[in-house]
Amino acid sequence: ISQSGAKDHPIAWPPPLTSAMARGAVELFDSLAGDYSQLAEDPTCSPSEKEACRHFVSAEEKLNQLDLEGCMGFAEQAADGFKSASLSKGYADSLRLMCLAQGVKADLLMVSEEDKSEEVHSCLDAAERLAQ
């Protein structure tokens, strides 16, 4: 025991990230799938708006499954649909979802046994570009 009273063995800090911790980060995301599901059923929405809403719901489902590539694909489709329909809130929510997916992907890469620092930086750069 050291002078501080702690045992003398190294403590990893920050603690290593696990997929459970990544899932926890995903769970902190304010789920909007319910809102967009309702919009997709709204008879006053255009077919393209409904499609963008369905893509958003699919993107969020993929994120919850940690299927980050699937999430990105659906979120990009949702963002494109919302942008073409001039729905800025949906567009912003889709970008936010893509940023989160890139961040979670970077977190998961950091716990890899191999050096994935290039991929981590690539994910974080992509998230930063999306956020601008």
Side-chain angles (χ1 to χ4, degrees), residues 100-116:
L100 178 60
Q102 289 290 357
V104 170
K105 184 176 178 182
D107 288 345
L108 291 172
L109 286 168
M110 282 193 269
V111 298
S112 173
E113 296 291 320
E114 304 167 27
D115 179 16
K116 301 278 185 170

Side-chain angles (χ1 to χ4, degrees), residues 30-45:
D30 294 332
S31 176
L32 300 172
D35 296 340
Y36 285 106
S37 288
Q38 284 182 329
L39 273 174
E41 301 301 319
D42 186 337
T44 63
C45 287

Side-chain angles (χ1 to χ4, degrees), residues 23-89:
R23 188 169 305 286
V26 169
E27 289 171 3
L28 291 175
F29 176 74
D30 294 332
S31 176
L32 300 172
D35 296 340
Y36 285 106
S37 288
Q38 284 182 329
L39 273 174
E41 301 301 319
D42 186 337
T44 63
C45 287
S46 72
S48 61
E49 291 170 341
K50 290 180 180 187
E51 183 178 10
C53 290
R54 286 190 291 272
H55 286 312
F56 185 92
V57 171
S58 296
E60 193 171 297
E61 288 171 356
K62 294 295 185 182
L63 179 66
N64 289 334
Q65 299 164 0
L66 294 181
D67 176 358
L68 304 174
E69 297 303 321
C71 172
M72 289 296 295
F74 281 115
E76 285 176 21
Q77 290 177 318
D80 290 344
F82 288 130
K83 187 175 184 178
S84 67
S86 298
L87 296 173
S88 59
K89 182 184 180 319

